[in-house]
Amino acid sequence: MPYEPPTHTVERSIRATTGARTVAGVDEVGRGAWAGPVTVCAAITGLRRPPEGLTDSKLLTPRRRAELEPVLRSWVTAYALGDASPREIDDLGMTAALRLAAVRALEGLPVRPDAVILDGKHDYLGVPWKVRTVIKGDQSCIAVAAASVIAKVHRDRMMAELGAASEDCTGFAFEANAGYPSPVHRAALEERGPTAHHRLSWSYLDALPRWQHLKKVRISAEAAALESGGQFGFEF
């Protein structure tokens, strides 16, 4: 299906209106999975022309993502990845876990960005980061699109390796579903219950009477406030 390629329009606007010199694109993967971490990539691309075919990772086939990812890693000015583990997701809630992973990615960059383009509607980063949220930024913004592909390939590879290396994960087909719900994943959960790599605060456990006793209830008041608050910074 034809699609409009991403551009530097948002980054140019940020540079012109704020004087920012270094702008990072940030995207996440794994938010809706039942197992595995949530992964965030922060990428700095400058204003150079991107590799042919770059777009939101969800619009690319697995084969095309795998081909494009090493090209992007060599092409970007800099990138870094951050994860929040299933236990951190259970303890903090997804909003705070996303922030934790994003901060880890941003702080892993060799230079601190002056501004961040964040894919989506909500700013889960907040102060002190200067954030511009962009709905479907992974389709429209070059730096965010690059981050989306790098994050997706990295996490898919991580989940495939986990499925192959851990006996506990045998039968969950993480190499095919990356921890997201699928018929095979659901069947394995019903039969064997969640592994140490599953998110135990997720509602899928409500449909598994045999394993409901394992469900974790988040009790952190700070985490609950972050989860319900949505925005906790400012946009420009």
Side-chain angles (χ1 to χ4, degrees):
M1 179 181 296
Y3 51 82
E4 291 292 326
T7 69
H8 289 301
T9 300
V10 174
E11 181 167 342
R12 290 183 188 279
S13 171
I14 291 172
R15 287 169 175 259
T17 57
T18 70
R21 300 182 63 182
T22 304
V23 180
V26 170
D27 198 17
E28 57 79 20
V29 63
R31 186 194 301 240
W34 289 357
V38 62
T39 297
V40 173
C41 180
I44 299 171
T45 65
L47 299 176
R48 292 171 296 134
R49 183 175 180 177
E52 188 70 25
L54 175 63
T55 187
D56 171 17
S57 64
K58 296 185 292 296
L59 299 178
L60 300 171
T61 65
R63 178 178 178 178
R64 181 57 184 144
R65 284 197 299 265
E67 294 171 346
L68 188 57
E69 187 256 358
V71 176
L72 287 170
R73 284 193 285 108
S74 298
W75 171 78
V76 297
T77 302
Y79 78 93
L81 291 148
D83 297 313
S85 71
R87 296 294 77 82
E88 289 171 328
I89 294 170
D90 287 336
D91 290 341
L92 300 173
M94 181 52 75
T95 301
L98 274 171
R99 185 178 195 276
L100 182 63
V103 169
R104 286 169 174 166
L106 287 163
E107 291 185 342
L109 292 169
V111 60
R112 185 180 179 91
D114 301 312
V116 174
I117 304 173
L118 186 63
D119 179 55
K121 181 179 180 181
H122 298 292
D123 174 11
Y124 55 76
L125 263 172
V127 294
W129 306 96
K130 295 181 178 179
V131 175
R132 174 81 60 87
T133 56
V134 179
I135 296 173
K136 294 187 177 180
D138 46 12
Q139 293 182 35
S140 61
C141 302
I142 286 173
V144 180
S148 79
V149 174
I150 294 172
K152 174 65 174 169
V153 174
H154 169 81
R155 187 181 182 279
D156 282 358
R157 186 181 297 128
M158 181 195 308
M159 293 303 294
E161 291 173 352
L162 178 65
S166 173
E167 291 186 6
D168 291 344
C169 297
T170 301
F172 285 89
F174 287 160
E175 73 283 355
N177 60 50
Y180 285 85
S182 71
V184 172
H185 192 169
R186 292 171 187 267
L189 274 169
E190 290 179 4
E191 179 181 350
R192 303 180 59 181
T195 70
H197 308 287
H198 279 84
R199 303 169 186 180
L200 299 182
S201 58
W202 250 225
S203 61
Y204 69 83
L205 279 170
D206 295 337
L208 300 173
R210 184 180 173 189
W211 308 106
Q212 280 183 1
H213 65 286
L214 298 175
K215 187 170 183 181
K216 185 171 184 177
V217 178
R218 196 181 318 121
I219 60 175
S220 166
E222 179 182 1
L226 287 171
E227 189 76 355
S228 62
Q231 307 272 350
F232 37 177
F234 59 87
E235 290 194 7
F236 64 97

